[in-house]
Amino acid sequence: MDPGYILIDEHSSVDELIRLIAKRVTTVGEPLNVLNLDDIVAKHRNWQAKLPTVAPFYAVKCNSHPTILRLLAALGCGFDCASRAELDSVLELGVTPDRIVYAHPNKSIGSIVHAKKLGVKRMTFDGSDELEKLARHYPEAELILRVRHDAAAAQLSLGRKFGCDQVRDARPLLERARELGLSVIGVSFHVGSGSMDAECFYGGIRKAIEIFRVGSTLGMKMELLDVGGGYPGANGALFDRCAYYINKALKELVPTPVAVIAEPGKYYVESAVTALVNVVSKSYEKDVDGAVVRVRYYVDDGLYDTFDWCDDQGSGPLLQEDKRGAPCVRSVIYGRTMCEHDVIREEISLPEHEIGDCLVFPNRGAYAKLLGRGHNGFRPTGTKVCLTRATLNYMCAEAVKAVRG
């Protein structure tokens, strides 16, 4: 096992490890992320149980930590890549090109040529100009038409940027692909990141199958359905509802020869990372009579590392035992840089903390550590990777099965 890993024995747990680190963190003076591989393996097994006919292709952009990619490769996952760098990082792990979808609908010519050199054939498109590029530079590619299908409620709607209109654009694009001699093998959609609309998946699959029929009338072999991403990582009940509507649609609408994949990102990694940050300074806002109206905390992490810019400003930190039951005050938690937008939590109610106290934030595994590293010269926050022996054994067994095919 990698010497950088922490092996949790049967008498302990990851939660206990986090509590111990939080108590001792004042002697270390550095922020820390704890990556729990057990959580990712549990999510994988849950996916296999709830969506057994849908192959997960992990969205690398969500968290590209090498340990996460190695684990998911060993577990047999496919990968949704959106850049040359992501393609390279996954292929370097020994993943075969058929386990990759180049899921960026608008690629540079250089990246198309690079994908051809690597043998990555499956890739998405949503416009005629993309078809022209592919016809010139990679006519052997296996193409997936991305159609717009937005959830009624989502944290981030991707349809504003990607996906063609089903009624207006789908048939003309398929016809143009046929004219260019290109192979379109399927349809994809994405309901949006942080979707709260589980039933939306049923409508997306129905829309995709309608386009399948159009492709078939044009003589295309439509064989791949990509139901995209948008699966929650820290809400099991919502994921179960998503799985229900996907399975219902697959049973009622999709012919059996069709292969079905998805692009989960947050689902796999959001709850796998816990962030521990330290209060390095504090100040008070007071009213005209001198009464404290808000406490300002300044911590040693922020939006340019562990806390991403798409954060919903929802839950605050977990309260340590010595703070539970204490009176709460109006508070704000600022990140470590000089940027005025570097605010981790605003207008929350917290027991008063002191300089040196540790704040523990769960569910920090998705889309963190990706934006603006190095702002003000701060070093990236360190990561401790932990797992139990049961998970280590499971990983080894799954890796052997993957190698044997």
Side-chain angles (χ1 to χ4, degrees), residues 112-132:
I112 292 171
V113 172
H114 188 67
K116 179 178 181 178
K117 187 184 303 182
L118 297 174
V120 176
K121 284 191 169 185
R122 287 189 287 184
M123 53 186 63
T124 61
F125 75 100
D126 62 4
S128 58
D129 285 349
E130 191 74 3
L131 289 174
E132 303 293 337

Side-chain angles (χ1 to χ4, degrees), residues 118-380:
L118 297 174
V120 176
K121 284 191 169 185
R122 287 189 287 184
M123 53 186 63
T124 61
F125 75 100
D126 62 4
S128 58
D129 285 349
E130 191 74 3
L131 289 174
E132 303 293 337
K133 285 188 294 181
L134 289 163
R136 287 195 301 271
H137 301 285
Y138 198 0
E140 306 86 2
E142 299 174 348
L143 306 183
I144 303 163
L145 174 62
R146 177 156 171 172
V147 63
R148 179 174 185 173
H149 184 71
D150 298 326
Q155 187 178 345
L156 183 64
S157 174
L158 301 178
R160 294 176 298 175
K161 188 171 182 178
F162 301 115
C164 74
D165 181 87
Q166 175 202 7
V167 176
R168 183 184 64 245
D169 301 325
R171 187 179 187 94
L173 285 172
L174 293 177
E175 290 174 343
R176 183 55 181 154
R178 184 179 63 174
E179 291 171 1
L180 293 169
L182 296 171
S183 174
V184 179
I185 64 167
V187 178
S188 73
F189 63 89
H190 197 302
V191 300
S193 180
S195 169
M196 299 299 293
D197 181 9
E199 193 171 356
C200 186
F201 285 98
Y202 189 97
I205 293 171
R206 180 173 55 199
K207 181 182 293 186
I209 294 304
E210 290 171 358
I211 299 172
F212 266 54
R213 297 190 187 102
V214 174
S216 296
T217 63
L218 296 174
M220 297 174 173
K221 188 178 179 181
M222 307 292 278
E223 58 188 10
L224 181 68
L225 170 62
D226 180 352
V227 297
Y231 310 94
N235 185 331
L238 178 56
F239 175 75
D240 288 349
R241 292 201 296 275
C242 294
Y244 168 80
Y245 284 108
I246 291 171
N247 286 324
K248 177 178 169 66
L250 296 182
K251 181 179 179 180
E252 296 176 357
L253 305 174
V254 180
T256 46
V258 173
V260 185
I261 68 172
E263 302 168 2
K266 291 179 72 170
Y267 168 79
Y268 269 101
V269 298
E270 183 175 44
S271 60
V273 175
T274 300
L276 292 85
V277 303
N278 307 300
V279 178
V280 298
S281 188
K282 61 186 286 194
S283 63
Y284 299 94
E285 294 180 25
K286 300 180 180 180
D287 62 19
V288 293
D289 297 321
V292 174
V293 295
R294 189 164 71 158
V295 182
R296 296 175 174 175
Y297 297 103
Y298 301 84
V299 300
D300 53 5
D301 203 333
L303 296 192
Y304 291 93
D305 205 315
T306 300
F307 297 84
D308 65 279
W309 287 77
C310 293
D311 200 331
D312 62 5
Q313 286 285 331
S315 61
L318 298 176
L319 296 183
Q320 303 304 299
E321 292 180 8
D322 61 334
K323 303 295 182 185
R324 295 172 189 167
C328 292
V329 294
R330 184 179 166 215
S331 306
V332 58
I333 304 174
Y334 288 110
R336 61 187 176 180
T337 70
M338 295 293 290
C339 175
E340 63 181 291
H341 300 295
D342 192 356
V343 184
I344 293 176
R345 289 292 183 272
E346 194 165 15
E347 299 303 330
I348 65 170
S349 185
L350 283 178
E352 187 162 357
H353 286 68
E354 304 303 328
I355 294 173
D357 282 350
C358 179
L359 302 178
V360 178
F361 290 87
N363 303 322
R364 298 312 314 158
Y367 297 104
K369 306 182 75 64
L370 299 177
L371 300 168
R373 274 194 186 177
H375 190 34
N376 285 152
F378 288 109
R379 294 184 301 171

